[in-house]
Amino acid sequence: LGFVSAFAVMGIYAYVDDYWGGMVVVDVSDPKARMHVEEYGDCCVGSVAFSGYYVFVAAGTLDVLDVSIPAAP
């Protein structure tokens, strides 16, 4: 991860806004051994919010992702 601008946690997954690298899904079930699961987008993510199994990603536009399967947002 590069420059983390925001993050949100749902269950064992953290949805991290890596400003220069997009949104990164990280398994944080073991904080000492965090594991990269998936990523979305490639630049300029500013914030993230949840509603149920949907995550709203602000990156110049507003993207809505179904994260019911975290490895495939």
Side-chain angles (χ1 to χ4, degrees), residues 43-57:
C43 181
C44 309
V45 174
S47 63
V48 62
F50 283 99
S51 179
Y53 283 103
Y54 292 97
V55 63
F56 299 84
V57 180

Side-chain angles (χ1 to χ4, degrees), residues 18-35:
D18 181 351
Y19 186 80
W20 299 111
M23 183 189 71
V24 180
V25 182
V26 180
D27 180 335
V28 293
S29 58
D30 180 356
K32 293 182 181 180
R34 297 177 307 268
M35 190 165 68

Side-chain angles (χ1 to χ4, degrees), residues 2-43:
F3 178 78
V4 174
S5 57
F7 71 94
V9 176
M10 186 166 96
I12 64 169
Y13 297 101
Y15 296 82
V16 181
D17 292 338
D18 181 351
Y19 186 80
W20 299 111
M23 183 189 71
V24 180
V25 182
V26 180
D27 180 335
V28 293
S29 58
D30 180 356
K32 293 182 181 180
R34 297 177 307 268
M35 190 165 68
H36 180 274
V37 175
E38 186 58 85
E39 57 188 67
Y40 173 80
D42 59 0
C43 181

